[in-house]
Amino acid sequence: MFSGYNQRAIFAFLRTLEKHCISYGIISRAGNDPIKRSAYSTRVVAERKSDSLDREEVLGVLDEALDLIAADQHILAPSSEALNRFFLMYRNELEVRKIMVPLVSKDLYEQISDKLKFSELCVARGIKTPANIRDFVNANTPFVAKPKTYYSKGNLVHSPFLLLTSESKSAFSKKYDLEDFYFQDFVDGRSIYLLYYFHRNGTVYKFSQENVLQQSGGKSILAAVSSKFHLHAISENYEGLFSDIVFHGMVMVEVKLVDGEFVMIEANPRFWGPSQLFVDAGMNLFEAFLYDYGLIENDPEFLSPKKMFYYHWQGGVSSELFNQNMVVFHENGEEMYFNNLTQFMNSDIYLRPDSLRIYKDYLFLNSFYLLKM
């Protein structure tokens, strides 16, 4: 697996591999990869020379890792968007090296991951999405700018932008090519992640979480709780959609709940940051993945937990505060967060024996923020 990106998901996955005594090797990010400050530093078998996804460099570092890990077959962890797309682009060259890419075809992957394509797929099936905005110039804020495809003109990668004010709208239009984006209404409500693993034999494993606290600009989730929305009828719509297009693998669908109605926001067919929540809750979608590819023998049981589980990322909170950004509470989130602060803090992704040094680094970052005030 490649480390350094989507790192919180990497740690949750590593803990699952350790639980099942599965052999693995880590290719670290160039420079200051947090994995080197963890209990998994000894499992680093190669290090990237740069962050660029250069074909020769990435294949070269993989060859270096293969020399140190003897196996009849290797499987790549589908941990981040950029890496997944790289793996799919060079799938044939990886398979020659006996490296399996555990993903659907490139076209199907992009149909889900590219936001416009997936939105159009949902609309065609009668699934509600935010209303499209055709006239950027006369559009009233707030609204959202979403990239049509992962790679825009000039091979640039854009994240969605929340255009909350006329000033941010004006700045956006001056900095970016509007042709790279499509525009939708800003939907504010309860934020839900529907979480799935679709086994190649047709079995569907599912869980869900409600997001409580998030970084500004719609970035990473900072706090979440387990939920039962995967048992709601809305989940059946997505289960049917993914089954009909013969999708297999992991996928997260973000929906907003507004006045009793669910609205699809986006989908991500890869690992996602708050994965430790489903690991802690015993609804381990990583185990479904490992079972699908024969790395564990027993079909994992998925019995919805009777109690609530919590997810927290203090490092993300510290980073936002240090950079003087506002953290964002979702609907009902502020009361939920402060009423259960102890449970959130004790469930932190890095407040664990294998990553305690990383957690302490975040505490120091908090201290620096207080000194800045």
Side-chain angles (χ1 to χ4, degrees):
M1 76 190 69
F2 285 75
S3 176
Y5 297 91
N6 203 9
Q7 196 75 344
R8 290 162 292 132
I10 288 291
F11 271 87
F13 186 55
L14 285 169
R15 290 163 184 159
T16 303
L17 295 179
E18 288 286 333
K19 171 187 172 183
H20 292 282
C21 302
I22 294 171
S23 177
Y24 64 90
I26 300 169
I27 297 173
S28 68
R29 184 179 182 178
N32 188 28
D33 188 331
I35 206 75
K36 299 172 186 176
R37 305 196 306 277
S38 75
Y40 306 107
S41 60
T42 58
R43 304 304 292 268
V44 174
V45 295
E47 179 178 325
R48 295 171 65 181
K49 297 178 179 62
S50 72
D51 290 339
S52 66
L53 284 174
D54 175 77
R55 172 188 170 277
E56 295 299 325
E57 181 184 330
V58 174
L59 293 178
V61 78
L62 275 168
D63 287 337
E64 182 183 342
L66 295 179
D67 287 341
L68 296 174
I69 307 176
D72 295 329
Q73 179 77 59
H74 297 82
I75 301 176
L76 283 166
S79 56
S80 78
E81 186 65 24
L83 284 169
N84 286 358
R85 287 175 180 258
F86 179 90
F87 298 155
L88 288 170
M89 185 180 302
Y90 296 106
R91 185 174 222 153
N92 290 339
E93 293 182 65
L94 293 167
E95 289 178 349
V96 167
R97 291 168 165 80
K98 296 184 178 179
I99 300 175
M100 180 186 295
V101 178
L103 296 167
V104 293
S105 69
K106 180 176 180 292
D107 287 346
L108 181 52
Y109 184 92
E110 291 175 355
Q111 186 178 23
I112 298 166
S113 185
D114 283 347
K115 300 182 190 308
L116 180 57
K117 289 179 182 177
F118 189 68
S119 181
E120 291 173 341
L121 180 62
C122 288
V123 169
R125 294 183 65 98
I127 294 174
K128 186 174 179 60
T129 64
N132 289 327
I133 295 173
R134 307 294 181 186
D135 184 357
F136 176 89
V137 174
N138 295 312
N140 294 320
T141 56
F143 64 98
V144 184
K146 295 182 178 181
K148 294 176 181 176
T149 56
Y150 183 73
Y151 291 110
S152 298
K153 294 186 184 70
N155 218 32
L156 296 174
V157 177
H158 298 303
S159 298
F161 290 91
L162 302 181
L163 305 179
L164 302 178
T165 64
S166 57
E167 290 78 13
S168 62
K169 174 186 172 183
S170 177
F172 175 85
S173 65
K174 293 174 183 176
K175 185 174 182 180
Y176 298 100
D177 185 343
L178 299 184
E179 291 300 314
D180 287 342
F181 296 85
Y182 69 108
F183 308 97
Q184 292 186 324
D185 283 349
F186 173 69
V187 178
D188 194 15
R190 294 173 69 180
S191 175
I192 313 298
Y193 280 3
L194 299 172
L195 315 173
Y196 302 101
Y197 187 86
F198 290 85
H199 194 290
R200 289 173 295 176
N201 67 11
T203 303
V204 180
Y205 304 85
K206 57 184 179 176
F207 190 50
S208 59
Q209 67 183 58
E210 180 163 6
N211 301 316
V212 172
L213 182 64
Q214 189 167 8
Q215 289 181 323
S216 59
K219 302 299 183 183
S220 297
I221 298 299
L222 301 172
V225 294
S226 58
S227 74
K228 297 185 182 298
F229 286 100
H230 57 290
L231 304 178
H232 191 282
I234 185 62
S235 181
E236 297 174 7
N237 293 339
Y238 295 104
E239 293 168 49
L241 184 156
F242 289 113
S243 295
D244 287 349
I245 62 176
V246 197
F247 174 82
H248 64 82
M250 297 187 74
V251 63
M252 174 271 283
V253 181
E254 180 183 3
V255 298
K256 291 286 184 72
L257 179 57
V258 186
D259 297 328
E261 188 172 35
F262 292 92
V263 183
M264 192 287 298
I265 303 299
E266 66 176 12
N268 291 308
R270 53 170 172 79
F271 291 2
W272 48 87
S275 298
Q276 190 64 50
L277 180 60
F278 66 66
V279 174
D280 289 344
M283 303 286 281
N284 196 335
L285 294 164
F286 292 141
E287 292 181 338
F289 166 67
L290 297 173
Y291 175 68
D292 194 2
Y293 287 90
L295 293 169
I296 60 176
E297 292 184 0
N298 297 322
D299 187 354
E301 281 191 315
F302 270 61
L303 302 175
S304 291
K306 296 180 180 179
K307 69 173 187 176
M308 182 173 288
F309 285 82
Y310 299 82
Y311 168 83
H312 193 259
W313 178 30
Q314 179 59 46
V317 175
S318 299
S319 178
E320 289 294 275
L321 296 177
F322 185 78
N323 292 308
Q324 298 183 324
N325 294 327
M326 293 292 293
V327 293
V328 178
F329 286 101
H330 288 287
E331 186 176 315
N332 302 330
E334 188 168 6
E335 182 179 359
M336 165 68 76
Y337 187 73
F338 288 109
N339 284 346
N340 299 278
L341 189 58
T342 299
Q343 291 93 324
F344 279 113
M345 293 298 179
N346 290 339
S347 301
D348 196 90
I349 174 70
Y350 290 119
L351 185 57
R352 301 169 194 243
D354 59 358
S355 54
L356 197 55
R357 184 178 169 189
I358 298 171
Y359 183 78
K360 290 177 179 178
D361 289 344
Y362 290 139
L363 294 185
F364 284 124
L365 186 59
N366 260 350
S367 300
F368 283 125
Y369 165 71
L370 293 173
L371 290 173
K372 284 174 60 179
M373 295 179 63

